[in-house]
Amino acid sequence: LFAFLAYMGVSSGAGRVFNWFVNMTAIASLMAWFGISLTYLRFYEGLRAQGIDRSTLPYVNRLNPYAAWYALLICPIVCLVSVSLHLTFI
């Protein structure tokens, strides 16, 4: 890996490759938040199915489950826009 990174530093396209790495990590983190939101929504539905009130949990946020739905919808949109903008500038 270090040899490839050293080769990347000598080439003229090092900035382009670095931007690819930055975009890949940003999209990976957005997909991680997508997974977290999906997991929370399934947890929330499980609580409702078992009749457990959320106010009995140690931490209660008044924005949930709406914040989870927002993240579930926005993360893929941001990823698609980011990829399409990146492909536009190649």
Side-chain angles (χ1 to χ4, degrees), residues 7-82:
Y7 179 72
M8 182 186 75
V10 206
S11 69
S12 61
R16 175 183 279 178
V17 174
F18 180 73
N19 283 333
W20 288 345
F21 285 144
V22 169
N23 288 335
M24 284 189 299
T25 55
I27 288 176
S29 65
L30 282 170
M31 287 294 106
W33 277 109
F34 177 83
I36 290 168
S37 299
L38 185 64
T39 303
Y40 174 77
L41 287 171
R42 296 305 304 154
F43 171 73
Y44 179 70
E45 289 298 320
L47 285 178
R48 283 184 38 192
Q50 295 179 13
I52 300 173
D53 188 22
R54 278 187 14 195
S55 62
T56 61
L57 297 176
Y59 178 76
V60 179
N61 187 354
R62 61 184 163 89
L63 294 177
N64 281 328
Y66 308 111
W69 279 110
Y70 176 76
L72 194 72
L73 295 174
I74 293 300
C75 285
I77 292 171
V78 171
C79 286
L80 289 174
V81 169
S82 174

